[in-house]
């Protein structure tokens, strides 16, 4: 694996773009949060879930169950592998950034779940329905942060194909949470927005620290 780590200058990711992404995504999260807590998104959620459920099939069930698992416990595998690679190549900043993003991102999920306490969808029977609250989706939020971080580093290293694939995978993991019936669509939208905001903040901090190392 060859993940480069150039400083976040105008040649890589423009800092202004990261601030715009942070503010835009954070605003999107708060708008979603406000609508959900006011109970105004129920009809939209139901329509999307009914549309999705009408298109399920046994083979799609198998595909999306595999995909959704990569957004949960399955995230620990690439974190351990990539984190180990960074430590082995003495890239402590990258290793620390990765572990910090994983830990803080998971803590953020728990904090927002406790704040909102939204019930899981109950339109259909779902085997092994999670017992915690529904908002936000930890799978979608965590995947956006971690796979997004990998995607940025791969893109900076010139690996455009794998980076693009990871962004597509984030979208698939996020949609899978609605497909398998364990999240409302607005849970997932808020999760991706919050994940993008956290990712932008992480990259801003990483870029400043990287520039400090190179100075």
């Amino acid at each position: 694996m060859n993940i480069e780590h150039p400083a976040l200058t105008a040649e890589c990711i423009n800092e202004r773009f990261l601030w715009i992404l942070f503010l835009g995504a954070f605003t999107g999260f708060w708008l979603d949060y406000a609508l959900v807590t006011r109970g105004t998104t129920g009809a939209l959620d139901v329509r999307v879930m009914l549309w999705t459920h009408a298109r399920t099939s046994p083979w799609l069930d198998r595909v999306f169950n595999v995909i959704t698992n990569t957004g949960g416990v399955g995230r620990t595998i690439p974190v351990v592998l990539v984190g180990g690679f960074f430590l082995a190549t003495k890239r402590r900043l990258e290793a620390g950034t990765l572990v910090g993003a994983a830990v803080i991102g998971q803590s953020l999920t728990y904090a927002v779940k406790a704040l909102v306490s939204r019930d899981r969808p109950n339109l259909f029977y779902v085997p092994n329905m999670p017992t915690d609250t529904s908002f936000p989706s930890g799978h979608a939020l965590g995947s956006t942060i971690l796979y997004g971080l990998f995607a940025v580093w791969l893109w900076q290293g010139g690996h455009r194909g794998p980076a693009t694939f990871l962004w597509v995978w984030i979208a698939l993991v996020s949609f899978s949470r609605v497909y398998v019936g364990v999240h409302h669509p607005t849970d997932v939208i808020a999760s991706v927005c919050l994940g993008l905001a956290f990712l932008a903040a992480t990259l801003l901090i990483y870029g400043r620290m990287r520039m400090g190392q190179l100075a």
Side-chain angles (χ1 to χ4, degrees):
M1 173 183 274
N2 181 25
I3 299 179
E4 301 295 337
H5 51 257
L8 294 181
T9 62
E11 297 177 357
C12 301
I13 295 183
N14 188 279
E15 193 171 276
R16 181 180 298 178
F17 169 77
L18 289 175
W19 276 109
I20 292 172
L21 176 61
F22 172 78
L23 294 173
F26 196 66
T27 299
F29 166 76
W30 276 108
L31 286 174
D32 190 299
Y33 167 80
L35 292 173
V36 166
T37 53
R38 291 177 183 176
T40 59
T41 63
L44 173 63
D45 283 323
V46 169
R47 283 199 297 270
V48 175
M49 285 187 287
L50 288 174
W51 181 90
T52 304
H53 185 73
R55 286 155 179 80
T56 59
S57 67
W59 74 271
L60 279 176
D61 292 349
R62 290 191 292 271
V63 169
F64 278 109
N65 274 311
V66 171
I67 291 172
T68 206
N69 286 335
T70 67
V73 177
R75 291 201 313 269
T76 59
I77 297 174
V79 169
V80 170
L81 291 176
V82 177
F85 167 77
F86 282 144
L87 288 175
T89 54
K90 302 184 185 301
R91 299 181 185 181
R92 295 183 180 84
L93 176 58
E94 284 72 26
T97 299
L98 177 59
V99 173
V103 172
I104 298 174
Q106 191 64 36
S107 300
L108 185 61
T109 299
Y110 292 144
V112 178
K113 279 182 177 291
L115 175 66
V116 180
S117 298
R118 189 184 197 187
D119 291 335
R120 295 277 178 170
N122 58 5
L123 286 177
F124 317 106
Y125 169 72
V126 178
N128 303 314
M129 173 71 82
T131 57
D132 61 346
T133 55
S134 188
F135 185 102
S137 164
H139 286 63
L141 195 158
S143 295
T144 301
I145 294 170
L146 293 177
Y147 295 141
L149 191 58
F150 294 155
V152 169
W153 280 334
L154 285 167
W155 188 275
Q156 291 176 341
H159 307 292
R160 306 298 170 86
T164 301
F165 172 80
L166 282 176
W167 288 115
V168 173
W169 196 258
I170 291 169
L172 289 172
V173 170
S174 300
F175 176 74
S176 75
R177 303 310 286 164
V178 178
Y179 182 92
V180 301
V182 297
H183 278 288
H184 306 276
T186 46
D187 296 340
V188 174
I189 293 171
S191 304
V192 173
C193 287
L194 186 57
L196 287 173
F198 185 89
L199 175 62
T202 300
L203 290 170
L204 284 166
I205 295 170
Y206 166 78
R208 292 297 181 89
M209 295 180 70
R210 185 75 195 145
M211 287 297 291
Q213 282 190 358
L214 297 177

